[in-house]
Amino acid sequence: MRLFVAVLPPVEALQGLFDAVAPVRGLPGADRLRWTTVEGWHLTLAFLGQVPEERLPELEAGLADVAETHSAHRLRISGAGRFGDRVLWAGVEGQTWALRRLAEAVYEATADFIGEVDAFSFHPHVTLARAGSSRGHRRAVQRVAAAELDGLAAALAEYQGPEWEAAELHLMESRPDGGIVHYETVRAWPLADWS
């Protein structure tokens, strides 16, 4: 199973972002990107890669412990940026310190599943689009200039979505289906409510 751990924004937050992104998709360079679908928008806390199904109970137990010891927190999708000349993303603000602590705990709880990786690095974001060709596509997508990505990010720089509560931790499975990747929740745990 190809797995990752994430926080999923609610429908209202996704709708607000969708409405903000729609006109940006018509700007220069946007047609050369592979845009992610709203159904796939999430905040990745840890990417685990391939995990044998027999190790799922061990993984789930560790994530349940993390959820019990980390409280729900308030976030909003806000602003945008890019990772190099490859990824356009929407940012996150609010109680990001709590989200970071949650991601650190997930990273520690899943270290045996991740294998050898670099030190913990976390930049909360929602991936909106990627440059380059996707698996299964025969023709390569023309390269997008970093300046064009900057222009797309600038168009979303002032965006501030509705505030929402990150109240669940999700173990997600990534399933490729012909050139499209679908994400499905394997299991979810409520975060602690200390209010």
Side-chain angles (χ1 to χ4, degrees), residues 21-86:
V21 168
V24 174
R25 293 182 69 158
L27 296 177
D31 60 333
R32 294 194 306 276
L33 295 174
R34 288 182 295 115
W35 291 85
T36 56
T37 62
V38 68
E39 296 82 13
W41 287 348
H42 59 271
L43 303 173
T44 300
L45 302 178
F47 178 73
L48 309 178
Q50 294 292 340
V51 175
E53 200 163 341
E54 61 270 14
R55 292 198 67 194
L56 210 49
E58 175 191 352
L59 175 60
E60 290 177 343
L63 292 174
D65 288 345
V66 169
E68 286 177 7
T69 57
H70 288 79
S71 66
H73 46 279
R74 307 292 296 174
L75 301 171
R76 86 170 62 232
I77 299 171
S78 177
R82 66 178 172 93
F83 294 135
D85 60 356
R86 306 284 300 161

Side-chain angles (χ1 to χ4, degrees), residues 100-111:
R100 174 174 268 295
R101 284 188 190 158
L102 179 62
E104 287 172 347
V106 166
Y107 180 83
E108 290 172 10
T110 60

